[in-house]
């Protein structure tokens, strides 16, 4: 069982004072910009892109030791990948992280094989860390949280710290039903039905309304902007095809200090799932924000950034960039 001396849970609410207007295509269309962060934003020259293993797209922001590796959410394989989309995602994500660290934002194989699985994705990420980046703090967003947790459990030497952002080791019952519907819609090429599953993901009703209007405007172009149905299905099957919650004891193998950060109204990862994840990871912190949903990183970026920064600071990396010694609870 998890060591209580190294685990903390909190649930609070602070009214949002700003949100990142560039976080999604919807919010970008509003043309709203507000200064939410004190650290300097990277310049365009700080962004570099490429492929790891000749198949895994990445965007690197800055150079330096003690890197942070971000495993992106499902939008990385649901939407058709383009350099402009990857850059927009990187700009959104980098605002959630400290401004003095190298950041690698990893996508997913654009043409995965039929037997695509979490295990195969984890093996690729482990190879990238071992051969290209080195041991790192790892943040998994939504879908990426499955990969991050399995990576930390199977390769403890490569993961210094782990952040599960709007994620857990399993879906909620509602989340699982939504994934099944997404798979069915994808097989049928019903992209409108697929996107309808996300019609109420925001906490703010007016953002949900604008999101539905945006989807309606894109209706005639969905076959251009959405990925190949087979690619979407294989990505979703990678998580839907494995019952992570059936025997969650594998979480006890995670040695890295872990932050689970989510909202109490997330339809995909509910409070029960996130609490279970935190209870089984030996050195974990659970932070739940009241009434927030799966769009917590979009609607509350400043709170997310502060929480992540405080967590990373409370578990400092070694000076030379080598993996730190095992954490001893106090």
């Amino acid at each position: 069982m998890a060591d209580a001396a190294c685990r903390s849970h909190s649930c609070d609410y602070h009214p949002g004072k700003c949100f990142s207007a560039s976080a999604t295509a919807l919010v970008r269309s509003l043309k709203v910009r507000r200064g939410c962060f004190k650290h300097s934003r990277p310049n365009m020259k700080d962004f570099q892109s490429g492929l790891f293993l000749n198949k895994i797209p990445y965007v690197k922001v800055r150079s330096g030791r003690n890197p942070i590796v971000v495993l992106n959410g499902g939008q990385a394989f649901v939407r058709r990948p383009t350099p402009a989309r990857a850059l927009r995602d990187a700009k959104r994500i980098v605002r959630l992280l400290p401004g003095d660290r190298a950041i690698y934002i990893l996508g997913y194989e654009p043409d995965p094989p039929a037997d695509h699985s979490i295990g195969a994705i984890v093996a690729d990420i482990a190879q990238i860390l071992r051969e290209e980046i080195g041991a790192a703090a790892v943040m998994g967003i939504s879908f990426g949280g499955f990969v991050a947790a399995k990576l930390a459990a199977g390769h403890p030497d490569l993961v210094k710290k782990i952040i599960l952002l709007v994620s857990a080791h399993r879906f909620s019952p509602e989340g699982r039903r939504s994934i099944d519907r997404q798979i069915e819609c994808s097989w049928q090429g019903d992209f409108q039905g697929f996107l309808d599953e996300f019609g109420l993901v925001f906490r703010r009703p007016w953002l949900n309304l604008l999101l539905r209007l945006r989807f309606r405007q894109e209706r005639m172009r969905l076959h251009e902007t959405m990925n190949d149905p087979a690619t979407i299905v294989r990505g979703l099957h990678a998580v839907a095809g494995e019952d992570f919650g059936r025997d969650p004891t594998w979480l006890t193998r995670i040695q890295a200090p872990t932050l689970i950060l989510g909202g109490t109204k997330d339809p995909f990862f509910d409070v029960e799932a996130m609490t279970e994840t935190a209870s089984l990871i030996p050195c974990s912190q659970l932070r739940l924000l009241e009434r927030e949903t799966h769009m917590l990183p979009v609607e509350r970026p400043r709170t997310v950034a502060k929480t992540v920064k405080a967590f990373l600071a409370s578990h400092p990396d070694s000076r030379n960039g080598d993996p730190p010694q095992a954490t001893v609870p106090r």
Side-chain angles (χ1 to χ4, degrees), residues 254-297:
I254 296 179
Q255 301 176 15
T258 302
L259 170 67
I260 300 101
L261 176 58
T264 61
K265 296 298 184 181
D266 189 328
F268 297 101
F269 301 97
D270 59 10
V271 172
E272 182 180 353
M274 289 184 282
T275 301
E276 184 178 333
T277 302
S279 70
L280 289 168
I281 297 176
C283 190
S284 66
Q285 299 176 28
L286 175 62
R287 178 79 183 277
L288 297 176
L289 300 185
E290 288 286 352
R291 298 191 295 156
E292 295 299 337
T293 70
H294 200 61
M295 300 306 288
L296 169 65

Side-chain angles (χ1 to χ4, degrees), residues 36-114:
C36 297
F37 302 96
K38 293 182 179 179
H39 64 69
S40 59
R41 294 179 180 178
N43 297 318
M44 288 295 296
K45 64 181 181 180
D46 294 324
F47 290 82
Q48 303 173 16
S49 61
L51 292 175
F52 284 132
L53 309 180
N54 292 318
K55 61 180 180 179
I56 306 297
Y58 74 88
V59 175
K60 179 184 178 183
V61 186
R62 291 184 296 266
S63 297
R65 296 175 177 174
N66 298 322
I68 300 172
V69 172
V70 179
L71 306 177
N72 215 338
Q75 77 274 9
F77 61 81
V78 167
R79 292 285 189 169
R80 193 175 300 279
T82 65
R85 189 180 303 280
L87 183 59
R88 287 197 298 267
D89 276 350
K91 288 180 177 179
R92 169 177 58 87
I93 291 169
V94 76
R95 290 172 176 158
L96 305 176
L97 297 168
D100 58 351
R101 306 276 289 263
I103 299 169
Y104 293 84
I105 300 156
L106 305 188
Y108 300 99
E109 188 174 354
D111 187 21

Side-chain angles (χ1 to χ4, degrees), residues 212-227:
R212 289 194 293 272
L213 290 174
R214 181 78 181 197
F215 286 164
R216 189 171 301 174
Q217 291 174 349
E218 292 183 342
R219 183 172 49 199
M220 303 305 296
R221 298 180 53 250
L222 287 178
H223 286 274
E224 300 174 14
T225 60
M226 298 290 284
N227 215 336

Side-chain angles (χ1 to χ4, degrees), residues 28 73 78 85 132 134 141 144 149 161 167 175 186 210 219 330:
R28 281 195 308 273
V78 167
R85 189 180 303 280
E132 303 286 350
I141 304 174
K161 286 175 283 289
S167 189
S186 297
L210 288 176
R219 183 172 49 199
R330 297 181 180 178

Side-chain angles (χ1 to χ4, degrees), residues 101-261:
R101 306 276 289 263
I103 299 169
Y104 293 84
I105 300 156
L106 305 188
Y108 300 99
E109 188 174 354
D111 187 21
D115 59 350
H116 197 47
S117 68
I118 288 291
I121 299 172
V122 168
D124 285 340
I125 303 303
Q127 183 178 351
I128 291 168
L129 289 174
R130 205 174 299 280
E131 297 178 359
E132 303 286 350
I133 299 175
V138 177
M139 182 167 78
I141 304 174
S142 187
F143 175 97
F146 290 112
V147 183
K150 282 289 188 178
L151 177 70
H155 303 273
D157 58 314
L158 297 176
V159 181
K160 295 182 178 183
K161 286 175 283 289
I162 177 173
I163 300 163
L164 302 181
L165 180 57
V166 292
S167 189
H169 74 288
R170 64 170 176 84
F171 289 114
S172 66
E174 181 182 352
R176 181 55 195 251
R177 287 191 292 269
S178 178
I179 293 297
D180 290 341
R181 289 192 294 268
Q182 291 174 42
I183 291 173
E184 182 180 357
C185 289
S186 297
W187 270 128
Q188 297 172 353
D190 180 11
F191 292 134
Q192 186 64 50
F194 181 99
L195 293 178
D196 285 344
E197 290 297 313
F198 302 91
L200 295 173
V201 291
F202 286 99
R203 179 171 65 85
R204 294 168 173 82
W206 64 274
L207 283 176
N208 287 319
L209 175 61
L210 288 176
L211 182 64
R212 289 194 293 272
L213 290 174
R214 181 78 181 197
F215 286 164
R216 189 171 301 174
Q217 291 174 349
E218 292 183 342
R219 183 172 49 199
M220 303 305 296
R221 298 180 53 250
L222 287 178
H223 286 274
E224 300 174 14
T225 60
M226 298 290 284
N227 215 336
D228 178 72
T231 299
I232 298 175
V233 169
R234 288 171 183 176
L236 293 174
H237 263 308
V239 291
E242 184 173 347
D243 187 358
F244 296 102
R246 182 176 54 189
D247 179 15
T249 55
W250 60 270
L251 290 166
T252 62
R253 301 200 305 269
I254 296 179
Q255 301 176 15
T258 302
L259 170 67
I260 300 101
L261 176 58

